[in-house]
Amino acid sequence: QVQLVESGGGLVQAGGSLRLSCAVSGRTFSTYGMGWFRQAPGKEREFVAAIIWGDSRTYYADSVKGRFTISRDNVKNTVYLQMNSLKPEDTAVYYCAARPSLVVTTPRGYDYWGQGTQVTVSS
């Protein structure tokens, strides 16, 4: 069993930055894929970024490439999402997710989810 707890959300002006954290506990392996997803009101949950825990390969949605960076800290067992140049359209609840291997961009492919953290970007 894997537990995920997100933090770091908040209210920020357009152009600003936030760093989200996902604390990971429980059974984990170097092959685990860790993903960040987001869901805005009235919209489906969408892929944002992902990383392979063991080798740090990263993947991004086109909408966030060049602005967001996903990383992980093996000592702290934490995955981060650094978000720069934020836009009002980035406003959503952001979720951390995990799966035993590889990375996929569909929410259904992940077995474990955090409770989410709200990010609001004002114009």
Side-chain angles (χ1 to χ4, degrees):
Q1 192 74 5
V2 174
Q3 293 81 42
L4 308 173
V5 179
E6 303 98 333
S7 61
L11 173 64
V12 63
Q13 287 188 332
S17 298
L18 280 175
R19 188 178 78 161
L20 305 183
S21 299
C22 174
V24 184
S25 60
R27 189 181 186 188
T28 58
F29 299 94
S30 62
T31 59
Y32 262 61
M34 304 297 301
W36 283 99
F37 289 79
R38 65 188 181 186
Q39 188 165 18
K43 294 188 177 181
E44 294 187 352
R45 192 167 297 188
E46 66 174 2
F47 171 76
V48 175
I51 188 168
I52 302 290
W53 191 277
D55 63 19
S56 293
R57 277 177 286 173
T58 57
Y59 308 83
Y60 296 95
D62 288 342
S63 59
V64 306
K65 277 181 183 176
R67 300 189 299 122
F68 291 11
T69 302
I70 188 172
S71 62
R72 87 286 183 251
D73 185 322
N74 288 340
V75 175
K76 296 183 178 180
N77 271 0
T78 301
V79 178
Y80 301 100
L81 184 68
Q82 177 66 44
M83 306 186 295
N84 299 329
S85 301
L86 282 161
K87 305 174 181 180
E89 51 264 44
D90 294 318
T91 295
V93 177
Y94 283 71
Y95 297 91
C96 179
R99 53 178 281 123
S101 64
L102 303 177
V103 159
V104 297
T105 59
T106 57
R108 286 183 297 176
Y110 288 78
D111 300 306
Y112 306 101
W113 290 87
Q115 81 288 350
T117 185
Q118 176 70 47
V119 171
T120 303
V121 184
S122 63
S123 57

